[in-house]
Amino acid sequence: GENVEQHPSTLSVQEGDSAVIKCTYSDSASNYFPWYKQELGKGPQLIIDIRSNVGEKKDQRIAVTLNKTAKHFSLHITETQPEDSAVYFCAAQSGGSYIPTFGRGTSLIVHP
Amino acid sequence: DAGVTQSPTHLIKTRGQHVTLRCSPISGHKSVSWYQQVLGQGPQFIFQYYEKEERGRGNFPDRFSARQFPNYSSELNVNALLLGDSALYLCASSKDSSGANVLTFGAGSRLTVL
């Protein structure tokens, strides 16, 4: 089955800095890569996703890149703000499975 | 429009007891999935239901079971609770069971087993 590794487990930045979270996956059949943000006491919320026919996708301060050859994808957050503080999860999903496999999460702390 | 709603939000049980968790999907969503999230880890897939039929099952023991009702709401049942079952149980809904649909998660039911 699919295996997703996520790094780092904790990321501490100053407000205004950029943050990068990296994930690798094992199943070459995976073709959908969502990113979720989980705030304390809440369920994961989708913030951005990318499909395998695209190399990069942006949405305001958030961007995701995908390298299918190397089987890794990354989340980039620019101009971080304190409200970006949360746990971020990457996931990989095969078209035949319909079930995403999640990474272990990255706790992002943005200091004012 | 209401999101995915789960109940109860918190509950405490003792070892050996049984628990039932409930989930109401977003209106118009016909697929419900259940995940277990242990502290410090990502969600682990338990079940997926679509149109009242089980479409997928994760690597969990038979003590875990679920069902989906005609109104697309769902229940997750866990029998003979163990300390290791303590976790946040998440329900997610999607329009159907295809990989093209994104998941919308509820806030979860936090289960503590003593």
Side-chain angles (χ1 to χ4, degrees), chain A residues 32 36 38 41-46 49 51 89 93 95 98-100 102-105, chain B residues 35 37 40-43 45 48 88 90 97-103 105-107:
Chain A
Y32 174 62
Y36 290 86
Q38 187 172 26
K42 298 182 179 181
Q45 299 299 310
L46 181 73
D49 57 12
R51 298 191 185 273
F89 293 96
Q93 180 175 318
Y98 315 143
I99 307 298
F102 287 83
R104 294 175 65 94
Chain B
Y35 290 79
Q37 186 177 22
Q41 296 186 20
F45 171 71
Q48 184 193 51
L88 180 67
L90 295 163
S97 62
S98 77
N101 289 290
V102 300
L103 298 177
F105 283 89

PDB file of all heavy atoms in Angstrom, chain A residues 32 36 38 41-46 49 51 89 93 95 98-100 102-105, chain B residues 35 37 40-43 45 48 88 90 97-103 105-107:
ATOM      1  N   TYR A  32      -3.376  12.078  -6.844  1.00  0.00           N
ATOM      2  CA  TYR A  32      -4.068  13.214  -6.222  1.00  0.00           C
ATOM      3  C   TYR A  32      -3.429  13.467  -4.864  1.00  0.00           C
ATOM      4  O   TYR A  32      -3.254  12.541  -4.067  1.00  0.00           O
ATOM      5  CB  TYR A  32      -5.562  12.905  -6.078  1.00  0.00           C
ATOM      6  CG  TYR A  32      -6.339  13.962  -5.326  1.00  0.00           C
ATOM      7  CD1 TYR A  32      -6.426  15.264  -5.816  1.00  0.00           C
ATOM      8  CD2 TYR A  32      -6.993  13.669  -4.133  1.00  0.00           C
ATOM      9  CE1 TYR A  32      -7.133  16.236  -5.125  1.00  0.00           C
ATOM     10  CE2 TYR A  32      -7.700  14.632  -3.447  1.00  0.00           C
ATOM     11  CZ  TYR A  32      -7.769  15.916  -3.948  1.00  0.00           C
ATOM     12  OH  TYR A  32      -8.470  16.874  -3.266  1.00  0.00           O
ATOM     13  N   TYR A  36      -4.093  19.342   4.109  1.00  0.00           N
ATOM     14  CA  TYR A  36      -5.109  19.712   5.083  1.00  0.00           C
ATOM     15  C   TYR A  36      -4.481  20.508   6.220  1.00  0.00           C
ATOM     16  O   TYR A  36      -3.346  20.268   6.613  1.00  0.00           O
ATOM     17  CB  TYR A  36      -5.785  18.462   5.665  1.00  0.00           C
ATOM     18  CG  TYR A  36      -6.669  17.724   4.685  1.00  0.00           C
ATOM     19  CD1 TYR A  36      -6.144  16.767   3.825  1.00  0.00           C
ATOM     20  CD2 TYR A  36      -8.040  17.982   4.623  1.00  0.00           C
ATOM     21  CE1 TYR A  36      -6.956  16.094   2.930  1.00  0.00           C
ATOM     22  CE2 TYR A  36      -8.860  17.309   3.731  1.00  0.00           C
ATOM     23  CZ  TYR A  36      -8.303  16.365   2.893  1.00  0.00           C
ATOM     24  OH  TYR A  36      -9.113  15.697   2.010  1.00  0.00           O
ATOM     25  N   GLN A  38      -5.242  21.493  10.224  1.00  0.00           N
ATOM     26  CA  GLN A  38      -6.057  21.115  11.371  1.00  0.00           C
ATOM     27  C   GLN A  38      -5.748  22.042  12.542  1.00  0.00           C
ATOM     28  O   GLN A  38      -4.644  22.010  13.086  1.00  0.00           O
ATOM     29  CB  GLN A  38      -5.833  19.659  11.770  1.00  0.00           C
ATOM     30  CG  GLN A  38      -6.783  19.178  12.860  1.00  0.00           C
ATOM     31  CD  GLN A  38      -6.678  17.685  13.102  1.00  0.00           C
ATOM     32  OE1 GLN A  38      -5.644  17.066  12.857  1.00  0.00           O
ATOM     33  NE2 GLN A  38      -7.761  17.079  13.588  1.00  0.00           N
ATOM     34  N   GLY A  41      -8.891  21.390  18.164  1.00  0.00           N
ATOM     35  CA  GLY A  41     -10.298  21.136  18.410  1.00  0.00           C
ATOM     36  C   GLY A  41     -11.159  21.028  17.170  1.00  0.00           C
ATOM     37  O   GLY A  41     -12.391  20.944  17.259  1.00  0.00           O
ATOM     38  N   LYS A  42     -10.522  21.024  15.999  1.00  0.00           N
ATOM     39  CA  LYS A  42     -11.284  20.949  14.751  1.00  0.00           C
ATOM     40  C   LYS A  42     -10.799  19.783  13.897  1.00  0.00           C
ATOM     41  O   LYS A  42      -9.727  19.228  14.118  1.00  0.00           O
ATOM     42  CB  LYS A  42     -11.143  22.252  13.964  1.00  0.00           C
ATOM     43  CG  LYS A  42     -11.698  23.472  14.688  1.00  0.00           C
ATOM     44  CD  LYS A  42     -11.570  24.707  13.819  1.00  0.00           C
ATOM     45  CE  LYS A  42     -12.146  25.939  14.514  1.00  0.00           C
ATOM     46  NZ  LYS A  42     -12.040  27.166  13.658  1.00  0.00           N
ATOM     47  N   GLY A  43     -11.605  19.419  12.908  1.00  0.00           N
ATOM     48  CA  GLY A  43     -11.181  18.411  11.960  1.00  0.00           C
ATOM     49  C   GLY A  43     -10.296  19.013  10.891  1.00  0.00           C
ATOM     50  O   GLY A  43     -10.223  20.231  10.736  1.00  0.00           O
ATOM     51  N   PRO A  44      -9.602  18.176  10.128  1.00  0.00           N
ATOM     52  CA  PRO A  44      -8.755  18.679   9.036  1.00  0.00           C
ATOM     53  C   PRO A  44      -9.595  19.382   7.975  1.00  0.00           C
ATOM     54  O   PRO A  44     -10.684  18.923   7.632  1.00  0.00           O
ATOM     55  CB  PRO A  44      -8.127  17.397   8.464  1.00  0.00           C
ATOM     56  CG  PRO A  44      -8.263  16.369   9.536  1.00  0.00           C
ATOM     57  CD  PRO A  44      -9.524  16.717  10.259  1.00  0.00           C
ATOM     58  N   GLN A  45      -9.072  20.498   7.466  1.00  0.00           N
ATOM     59  CA  GLN A  45      -9.754  21.248   6.429  1.00  0.00           C
ATOM     60  C   GLN A  45      -8.854  21.340   5.207  1.00  0.00           C
ATOM     61  O   GLN A  45      -7.682  21.726   5.328  1.00  0.00           O
ATOM     62  CB  GLN A  45     -10.117  22.650   6.924  1.00  0.00           C
ATOM     63  CG  GLN A  45     -11.047  22.659   8.133  1.00  0.00           C
ATOM     64  CD  GLN A  45     -12.378  22.007   7.863  1.00  0.00           C
ATOM     65  OE1 GLN A  45     -13.058  22.296   6.881  1.00  0.00           O
ATOM     66  NE2 GLN A  45     -12.777  21.075   8.731  1.00  0.00           N
ATOM     67  N   LEU A  46      -9.388  21.013   4.054  1.00  0.00           N
ATOM     68  CA  LEU A  46      -8.612  21.084   2.814  1.00  0.00           C
ATOM     69  C   LEU A  46      -8.210  22.527   2.524  1.00  0.00           C
ATOM     70  O   LEU A  46      -9.052  23.431   2.541  1.00  0.00           O
ATOM     71  CB  LEU A  46      -9.441  20.538   1.656  1.00  0.00           C
ATOM     72  CG  LEU A  46      -8.762  20.528   0.287  1.00  0.00           C
ATOM     73  CD1 LEU A  46      -7.696  19.441   0.241  1.00  0.00           C
ATOM     74  CD2 LEU A  46      -9.788  20.324  -0.819  1.00  0.00           C
ATOM     75  N   ASP A  49      -4.932  21.464  -3.161  1.00  0.00           N
ATOM     76  CA  ASP A  49      -4.656  20.123  -3.667  1.00  0.00           C
ATOM     77  C   ASP A  49      -4.053  20.226  -5.061  1.00  0.00           C
ATOM     78  O   ASP A  49      -4.122  21.275  -5.707  1.00  0.00           O
ATOM     79  CB  ASP A  49      -5.909  19.250  -3.674  1.00  0.00           C
ATOM     80  CG  ASP A  49      -7.064  19.863  -4.486  1.00  0.00           C
ATOM     81  OD1 ASP A  49      -6.837  20.842  -5.228  1.00  0.00           O
ATOM     82  OD2 ASP A  49      -8.195  19.367  -4.365  1.00  0.00           O
ATOM     83  N   ARG A  51      -3.186  17.685  -8.692  1.00  0.00           N
ATOM     84  CA  ARG A  51      -3.304  16.392  -9.381  1.00  0.00           C
ATOM     85  C   ARG A  51      -2.050  16.159 -10.205  1.00  0.00           C
ATOM     86  O   ARG A  51      -1.303  17.090 -10.510  1.00  0.00           O
ATOM     87  CB  ARG A  51      -4.574  16.360 -10.224  1.00  0.00           C
ATOM     88  CG  ARG A  51      -5.811  16.495  -9.352  1.00  0.00           C
ATOM     89  CD  ARG A  51      -7.112  16.215 -10.061  1.00  0.00           C
ATOM     90  NE  ARG A  51      -8.245  16.480  -9.168  1.00  0.00           N
ATOM     91  CZ  ARG A  51      -8.760  15.589  -8.325  1.00  0.00           C
ATOM     92  NH1 ARG A  51      -8.242  14.364  -8.270  1.00  0.00           N
ATOM     93  NH2 ARG A  51      -9.771  15.899  -7.553  1.00  0.00           N
ATOM     94  N   PHE A  89      -1.266  18.480   7.279  1.00  0.00           N
ATOM     95  CA  PHE A  89      -1.118  17.098   6.825  1.00  0.00           C
ATOM     96  C   PHE A  89      -1.080  17.054   5.301  1.00  0.00           C
ATOM     97  O   PHE A  89      -1.913  17.679   4.635  1.00  0.00           O
ATOM     98  CB  PHE A  89      -2.288  16.235   7.287  1.00  0.00           C
ATOM     99  CG  PHE A  89      -2.358  16.019   8.762  1.00  0.00           C
ATOM    100  CD1 PHE A  89      -3.167  16.810   9.560  1.00  0.00           C
ATOM    101  CD2 PHE A  89      -1.611  15.010   9.363  1.00  0.00           C
ATOM    102  CE1 PHE A  89      -3.236  16.617  10.934  1.00  0.00           C
ATOM    103  CE2 PHE A  89      -1.674  14.805  10.724  1.00  0.00           C
ATOM    104  CZ  PHE A  89      -2.487  15.607  11.515  1.00  0.00           C
ATOM    105  N   GLN A  93      -3.210   9.940  -2.836  1.00  0.00           N
ATOM    106  CA  GLN A  93      -4.361   9.099  -3.149  1.00  0.00           C
ATOM    107  C   GLN A  93      -4.238   8.558  -4.553  1.00  0.00           C
ATOM    108  O   GLN A  93      -3.975   9.294  -5.500  1.00  0.00           O
ATOM    109  CB  GLN A  93      -5.633   9.935  -3.031  1.00  0.00           C
ATOM    110  CG  GLN A  93      -6.925   9.212  -3.321  1.00  0.00           C
ATOM    111  CD  GLN A  93      -8.111  10.107  -3.060  1.00  0.00           C
ATOM    112  OE1 GLN A  93      -8.159  10.842  -2.078  1.00  0.00           O
ATOM    113  NE2 GLN A  93      -9.075  10.089  -3.965  1.00  0.00           N
ATOM    114  N   GLY A  95      -5.900   6.839  -7.885  1.00  0.00           N
ATOM    115  CA  GLY A  95      -7.198   6.915  -8.548  1.00  0.00           C
ATOM    116  C   GLY A  95      -8.027   5.671  -8.364  1.00  0.00           C
ATOM    117  O   GLY A  95      -9.243   5.717  -8.350  1.00  0.00           O
ATOM    118  N   TYR A  98      -9.439   5.644  -4.031  1.00  0.00           N
ATOM    119  CA  TYR A  98     -10.364   6.648  -3.506  1.00  0.00           C
ATOM    120  C   TYR A  98     -10.072   7.001  -2.051  1.00  0.00           C
ATOM    121  O   TYR A  98     -10.787   7.790  -1.463  1.00  0.00           O
ATOM    122  CB  TYR A  98     -11.829   6.194  -3.597  1.00  0.00           C
ATOM    123  CG  TYR A  98     -12.218   5.576  -4.904  1.00  0.00           C
ATOM    124  CD1 TYR A  98     -13.114   4.513  -4.947  1.00  0.00           C
ATOM    125  CD2 TYR A  98     -11.700   6.023  -6.112  1.00  0.00           C
ATOM    126  CE1 TYR A  98     -13.489   3.945  -6.143  1.00  0.00           C
ATOM    127  CE2 TYR A  98     -12.067   5.458  -7.308  1.00  0.00           C
ATOM    128  CZ  TYR A  98     -12.969   4.406  -7.316  1.00  0.00           C
ATOM    129  OH  TYR A  98     -13.336   3.835  -8.488  1.00  0.00           O
ATOM    130  N   ILE A  99      -9.067   6.374  -1.440  1.00  0.00           N
ATOM    131  CA  ILE A  99      -8.788   6.582  -0.029  1.00  0.00           C
ATOM    132  C   ILE A  99      -7.423   7.257   0.116  1.00  0.00           C
ATOM    133  O   ILE A  99      -6.404   6.690  -0.304  1.00  0.00           O
ATOM    134  CB  ILE A  99      -8.752   5.247   0.740  1.00  0.00           C
ATOM    135  CG1 ILE A  99     -10.032   4.439   0.493  1.00  0.00           C
ATOM    136  CG2 ILE A  99      -8.511   5.497   2.217  1.00  0.00           C
ATOM    137  CD1 ILE A  99     -11.283   5.114   0.964  1.00  0.00           C
ATOM    138  N   PRO A 100      -7.361   8.475   0.695  1.00  0.00           N
ATOM    139  CA  PRO A 100      -6.062   9.126   0.864  1.00  0.00           C
ATOM    140  C   PRO A 100      -5.277   8.511   2.018  1.00  0.00           C
ATOM    141  O   PRO A 100      -5.859   8.141   3.040  1.00  0.00           O
ATOM    142  CB  PRO A 100      -6.442  10.579   1.158  1.00  0.00           C
ATOM    143  CG  PRO A 100      -7.799  10.504   1.770  1.00  0.00           C
ATOM    144  CD  PRO A 100      -8.477   9.326   1.142  1.00  0.00           C
ATOM    145  N   PHE A 102      -2.458   9.538   4.716  1.00  0.00           N
ATOM    146  CA  PHE A 102      -1.967  10.781   5.299  1.00  0.00           C
ATOM    147  C   PHE A 102      -0.550  10.641   5.836  1.00  0.00           C
ATOM    148  O   PHE A 102      -0.136   9.562   6.287  1.00  0.00           O
ATOM    149  CB  PHE A 102      -2.877  11.218   6.455  1.00  0.00           C
ATOM    150  CG  PHE A 102      -4.213  11.746   6.017  1.00  0.00           C
ATOM    151  CD1 PHE A 102      -5.250  10.883   5.732  1.00  0.00           C
ATOM    152  CD2 PHE A 102      -4.420  13.107   5.902  1.00  0.00           C
ATOM    153  CE1 PHE A 102      -6.484  11.360   5.319  1.00  0.00           C
ATOM    154  CE2 PHE A 102      -5.658  13.600   5.498  1.00  0.00           C
ATOM    155  CZ  PHE A 102      -6.685  12.721   5.207  1.00  0.00           C
ATOM    156  N   GLY A 103       0.182  11.752   5.821  1.00  0.00           N
ATOM    157  CA  GLY A 103       1.443  11.832   6.532  1.00  0.00           C
ATOM    158  C   GLY A 103       1.179  12.029   8.018  1.00  0.00           C
ATOM    159  O   GLY A 103       0.017  12.163   8.448  1.00  0.00           O
ATOM    160  N   ARG A 104       2.266  12.091   8.814  1.00  0.00           N
ATOM    161  CA  ARG A 104       2.111  12.182  10.259  1.00  0.00           C
ATOM    162  C   ARG A 104       1.844  13.598  10.750  1.00  0.00           C
ATOM    163  O   ARG A 104       1.547  13.807  11.923  1.00  0.00           O
ATOM    164  CB  ARG A 104       3.342  11.612  10.953  1.00  0.00           C
ATOM    165  CG  ARG A 104       3.526  10.123  10.746  1.00  0.00           C
ATOM    166  CD  ARG A 104       4.835   9.669  11.357  1.00  0.00           C
ATOM    167  NE  ARG A 104       4.822   9.820  12.810  1.00  0.00           N
ATOM    168  CZ  ARG A 104       4.480   8.860  13.660  1.00  0.00           C
ATOM    169  NH1 ARG A 104       4.104   7.674  13.197  1.00  0.00           N
ATOM    170  NH2 ARG A 104       4.506   9.061  14.955  1.00  0.00           N
ATOM    171  N   GLY A 105       1.963  14.571   9.861  1.00  0.00           N
ATOM    172  CA  GLY A 105       1.637  15.939  10.233  1.00  0.00           C
ATOM    173  C   GLY A 105       2.845  16.792  10.588  1.00  0.00           C
ATOM    174  O   GLY A 105       3.882  16.278  11.031  1.00  0.00           O
TER     175      GLY A 105
ATOM    176  N   TYR B  35     -12.340   7.841  10.005  1.00  0.00           N
ATOM    177  CA  TYR B  35     -10.905   7.818  10.257  1.00  0.00           C
ATOM    178  C   TYR B  35     -10.643   7.843  11.749  1.00  0.00           C
ATOM    179  O   TYR B  35     -11.403   8.461  12.512  1.00  0.00           O
ATOM    180  CB  TYR B  35     -10.216   9.030   9.611  1.00  0.00           C
ATOM    181  CG  TYR B  35     -10.172   8.999   8.107  1.00  0.00           C
ATOM    182  CD1 TYR B  35     -11.287   9.350   7.353  1.00  0.00           C
ATOM    183  CD2 TYR B  35      -9.019   8.605   7.431  1.00  0.00           C
ATOM    184  CE1 TYR B  35     -11.262   9.301   5.975  1.00  0.00           C
ATOM    185  CE2 TYR B  35      -8.983   8.557   6.049  1.00  0.00           C
ATOM    186  CZ  TYR B  35     -10.110   8.904   5.326  1.00  0.00           C
ATOM    187  OH  TYR B  35     -10.071   8.851   3.954  1.00  0.00           O
ATOM    188  N   GLN B  37      -7.757   9.113  14.436  1.00  0.00           N
ATOM    189  CA  GLN B  37      -6.561   9.941  14.546  1.00  0.00           C
ATOM    190  C   GLN B  37      -6.027   9.863  15.974  1.00  0.00           C
ATOM    191  O   GLN B  37      -6.608  10.437  16.905  1.00  0.00           O
ATOM    192  CB  GLN B  37      -6.847  11.396  14.178  1.00  0.00           C
ATOM    193  CG  GLN B  37      -5.595  12.258  14.140  1.00  0.00           C
ATOM    194  CD  GLN B  37      -5.858  13.687  13.701  1.00  0.00           C
ATOM    195  OE1 GLN B  37      -6.978  14.183  13.795  1.00  0.00           O
ATOM    196  NE2 GLN B  37      -4.823  14.352  13.217  1.00  0.00           N
ATOM    197  N   GLY B  40      -0.834  12.996  17.690  1.00  0.00           N
ATOM    198  CA  GLY B  40       0.482  13.124  17.080  1.00  0.00           C
ATOM    199  C   GLY B  40       0.634  12.411  15.751  1.00  0.00           C
ATOM    200  O   GLY B  40       1.739  12.361  15.200  1.00  0.00           O
ATOM    201  N   GLN B  41      -0.446  11.858  15.223  1.00  0.00           N
ATOM    202  CA  GLN B  41      -0.377  11.148  13.944  1.00  0.00           C
ATOM    203  C   GLN B  41      -1.457  11.637  12.988  1.00  0.00           C
ATOM    204  O   GLN B  41      -2.382  12.336  13.385  1.00  0.00           O
ATOM    205  CB  GLN B  41      -0.524   9.642  14.170  1.00  0.00           C
ATOM    206  CG  GLN B  41       0.609   9.039  14.988  1.00  0.00           C
ATOM    207  CD  GLN B  41       0.506   7.532  15.062  1.00  0.00           C
ATOM    208  OE1 GLN B  41      -0.153   6.904  14.241  1.00  0.00           O
ATOM    209  NE2 GLN B  41       1.170   6.945  16.039  1.00  0.00           N
ATOM    210  N   GLY B  42      -1.320  11.242  11.734  1.00  0.00           N
ATOM    211  CA  GLY B  42      -2.320  11.579  10.748  1.00  0.00           C
ATOM    212  C   GLY B  42      -3.513  10.639  10.827  1.00  0.00           C
ATOM    213  O   GLY B  42      -3.442   9.571  11.438  1.00  0.00           O
ATOM    214  N   PRO B  43      -4.636  11.032  10.237  1.00  0.00           N
ATOM    215  CA  PRO B  43      -5.826  10.168  10.241  1.00  0.00           C
ATOM    216  C   PRO B  43      -5.556   8.828   9.545  1.00  0.00           C
ATOM    217  O   PRO B  43      -4.903   8.785   8.499  1.00  0.00           O
ATOM    218  CB  PRO B  43      -6.852  11.002   9.460  1.00  0.00           C
ATOM    219  CG  PRO B  43      -6.370  12.411   9.559  1.00  0.00           C
ATOM    220  CD  PRO B  43      -4.880  12.315   9.582  1.00  0.00           C
ATOM    221  N   PHE B  45      -7.443   5.483   7.904  1.00  0.00           N
ATOM    222  CA  PHE B  45      -8.717   5.091   7.324  1.00  0.00           C
ATOM    223  C   PHE B  45      -9.301   3.861   7.992  1.00  0.00           C
ATOM    224  O   PHE B  45      -8.597   2.858   8.186  1.00  0.00           O
ATOM    225  CB  PHE B  45      -8.522   4.828   5.826  1.00  0.00           C
ATOM    226  CG  PHE B  45      -9.705   4.220   5.137  1.00  0.00           C
ATOM    227  CD1 PHE B  45     -10.844   4.963   4.921  1.00  0.00           C
ATOM    228  CD2 PHE B  45      -9.674   2.906   4.705  1.00  0.00           C
ATOM    229  CE1 PHE B  45     -11.939   4.411   4.283  1.00  0.00           C
ATOM    230  CE2 PHE B  45     -10.751   2.340   4.064  1.00  0.00           C
ATOM    231  CZ  PHE B  45     -11.899   3.092   3.851  1.00  0.00           C
ATOM    232  N   GLN B  48     -15.234   3.195   4.433  1.00  0.00           N
ATOM    233  CA  GLN B  48     -15.935   4.096   3.538  1.00  0.00           C
ATOM    234  C   GLN B  48     -17.255   3.455   3.147  1.00  0.00           C
ATOM    235  O   GLN B  48     -17.302   2.261   2.818  1.00  0.00           O
ATOM    236  CB  GLN B  48     -15.139   4.402   2.272  1.00  0.00           C
ATOM    237  CG  GLN B  48     -15.857   5.421   1.385  1.00  0.00           C
ATOM    238  CD  GLN B  48     -15.272   5.529  -0.016  1.00  0.00           C
ATOM    239  OE1 GLN B  48     -15.093   4.550  -0.708  1.00  0.00           O
ATOM    240  NE2 GLN B  48     -14.973   6.748  -0.422  1.00  0.00           N
ATOM    241  N   LEU B  88      -9.173  10.484  18.404  1.00  0.00           N
ATOM    242  CA  LEU B  88     -10.182  11.336  17.782  1.00  0.00           C
ATOM    243  C   LEU B  88     -10.726  10.585  16.576  1.00  0.00           C
ATOM    244  O   LEU B  88      -9.951  10.172  15.709  1.00  0.00           O
ATOM    245  CB  LEU B  88      -9.558  12.665  17.348  1.00  0.00           C
ATOM    246  CG  LEU B  88     -10.497  13.677  16.674  1.00  0.00           C
ATOM    247  CD1 LEU B  88     -11.527  14.200  17.664  1.00  0.00           C
ATOM    248  CD2 LEU B  88      -9.687  14.833  16.074  1.00  0.00           C
ATOM    249  N   LEU B  90     -12.815  10.716  13.266  1.00  0.00           N
ATOM    250  CA  LEU B  90     -13.249  11.706  12.289  1.00  0.00           C
ATOM    251  C   LEU B  90     -14.155  11.075  11.252  1.00  0.00           C
ATOM    252  O   LEU B  90     -13.910   9.964  10.783  1.00  0.00           O
ATOM    253  CB  LEU B  90     -12.027  12.307  11.589  1.00  0.00           C
ATOM    254  CG  LEU B  90     -11.076  13.125  12.458  1.00  0.00           C
ATOM    255  CD1 LEU B  90      -9.734  13.309  11.754  1.00  0.00           C
ATOM    256  CD2 LEU B  90     -11.686  14.481  12.778  1.00  0.00           C
ATOM    257  N   SER B  97     -18.133   8.190  -4.191  1.00  0.00           N
ATOM    258  CA  SER B  97     -16.967   7.444  -3.724  1.00  0.00           C
ATOM    259  C   SER B  97     -15.796   7.512  -4.699  1.00  0.00           C
ATOM    260  O   SER B  97     -14.811   6.822  -4.511  1.00  0.00           O
ATOM    261  CB  SER B  97     -17.354   5.981  -3.485  1.00  0.00           C
ATOM    262  OG  SER B  97     -17.788   5.388  -4.697  1.00  0.00           O
ATOM    263  N   SER B  98     -15.896   8.361  -5.713  1.00  0.00           N
ATOM    264  CA  SER B  98     -14.812   8.406  -6.692  1.00  0.00           C
ATOM    265  C   SER B  98     -13.644   9.224  -6.169  1.00  0.00           C
ATOM    266  O   SER B  98     -13.792  10.054  -5.283  1.00  0.00           O
ATOM    267  CB  SER B  98     -15.305   9.008  -7.999  1.00  0.00           C
ATOM    268  OG  SER B  98     -15.407  10.413  -7.873  1.00  0.00           O
ATOM    269  N   GLY B  99     -12.493   8.986  -6.741  1.00  0.00           N
ATOM    270  CA  GLY B  99     -11.307   9.709  -6.313  1.00  0.00           C
ATOM    271  C   GLY B  99     -11.293  11.157  -6.732  1.00  0.00           C
ATOM    272  O   GLY B  99     -10.444  11.916  -6.296  1.00  0.00           O
ATOM    273  N   ALA B 100     -12.276  11.576  -7.547  1.00  0.00           N
ATOM    274  CA  ALA B 100     -12.304  12.958  -8.011  1.00  0.00           C
ATOM    275  C   ALA B 100     -12.896  13.891  -6.973  1.00  0.00           C
ATOM    276  O   ALA B 100     -12.797  15.112  -7.113  1.00  0.00           O
ATOM    277  CB  ALA B 100     -13.107  13.053  -9.305  1.00  0.00           C
ATOM    278  N   ASN B 101     -13.501  13.348  -5.934  1.00  0.00           N
ATOM    279  CA  ASN B 101     -14.182  14.191  -4.956  1.00  0.00           C
ATOM    280  C   ASN B 101     -13.328  14.399  -3.724  1.00  0.00           C
ATOM    281  O   ASN B 101     -12.730  13.466  -3.202  1.00  0.00           O
ATOM    282  CB  ASN B 101     -15.505  13.553  -4.547  1.00  0.00           C
ATOM    283  CG  ASN B 101     -16.514  13.618  -5.662  1.00  0.00           C
ATOM    284  OD1 ASN B 101     -17.019  14.668  -6.008  1.00  0.00           O
ATOM    285  ND2 ASN B 101     -16.793  12.469  -6.244  1.00  0.00           N
ATOM    286  N   VAL B 102     -13.294  15.642  -3.239  1.00  0.00           N
ATOM    287  CA  VAL B 102     -12.536  15.933  -2.034  1.00  0.00           C
ATOM    288  C   VAL B 102     -13.354  15.571  -0.810  1.00  0.00           C
ATOM    289  O   VAL B 102     -14.576  15.503  -0.852  1.00  0.00           O
ATOM    290  CB  VAL B 102     -12.138  17.421  -1.990  1.00  0.00           C
ATOM    291  CG1 VAL B 102     -11.284  17.774  -3.192  1.00  0.00           C
ATOM    292  CG2 VAL B 102     -13.367  18.307  -1.914  1.00  0.00           C
ATOM    293  N   LEU B 103     -12.630  15.337   0.284  1.00  0.00           N
ATOM    294  CA  LEU B 103     -13.262  15.005   1.550  1.00  0.00           C
ATOM    295  C   LEU B 103     -13.468  16.254   2.387  1.00  0.00           C
ATOM    296  O   LEU B 103     -12.598  17.111   2.451  1.00  0.00           O
ATOM    297  CB  LEU B 103     -12.383  14.034   2.332  1.00  0.00           C
ATOM    298  CG  LEU B 103     -12.099  12.680   1.709  1.00  0.00           C
ATOM    299  CD1 LEU B 103     -11.155  11.881   2.602  1.00  0.00           C
ATOM    300  CD2 LEU B 103     -13.380  11.902   1.467  1.00  0.00           C
ATOM    301  N   PHE B 105     -14.219  17.097   6.306  1.00  0.00           N
ATOM    302  CA  PHE B 105     -14.198  16.449   7.614  1.00  0.00           C
ATOM    303  C   PHE B 105     -15.080  17.179   8.620  1.00  0.00           C
ATOM    304  O   PHE B 105     -15.234  18.403   8.570  1.00  0.00           O
ATOM    305  CB  PHE B 105     -12.777  16.411   8.175  1.00  0.00           C
ATOM    306  CG  PHE B 105     -11.894  15.365   7.558  1.00  0.00           C
ATOM    307  CD1 PHE B 105     -11.147  15.656   6.427  1.00  0.00           C
ATOM    308  CD2 PHE B 105     -11.798  14.093   8.110  1.00  0.00           C
ATOM    309  CE1 PHE B 105     -10.326  14.700   5.841  1.00  0.00           C
ATOM    310  CE2 PHE B 105     -10.979  13.133   7.545  1.00  0.00           C
ATOM    311  CZ  PHE B 105     -10.249  13.440   6.406  1.00  0.00           C
ATOM    312  N   GLY B 106     -15.619  16.402   9.560  1.00  0.00           N
ATOM    313  CA  GLY B 106     -16.251  16.966  10.729  1.00  0.00           C
ATOM    314  C   GLY B 106     -15.204  17.274  11.790  1.00  0.00           C
ATOM    315  O   GLY B 106     -14.013  17.012  11.602  1.00  0.00           O
ATOM    316  N   ALA B 107     -15.665  17.791  12.931  1.00  0.00           N
ATOM    317  CA  ALA B 107     -14.746  18.170  14.009  1.00  0.00           C
ATOM    318  C   ALA B 107     -14.299  16.964  14.837  1.00  0.00           C
ATOM    319  O   ALA B 107     -13.343  17.067  15.605  1.00  0.00           O
ATOM    320  CB  ALA B 107     -15.386  19.205  14.915  1.00  0.00           C
TER     321      ALA B 107
END
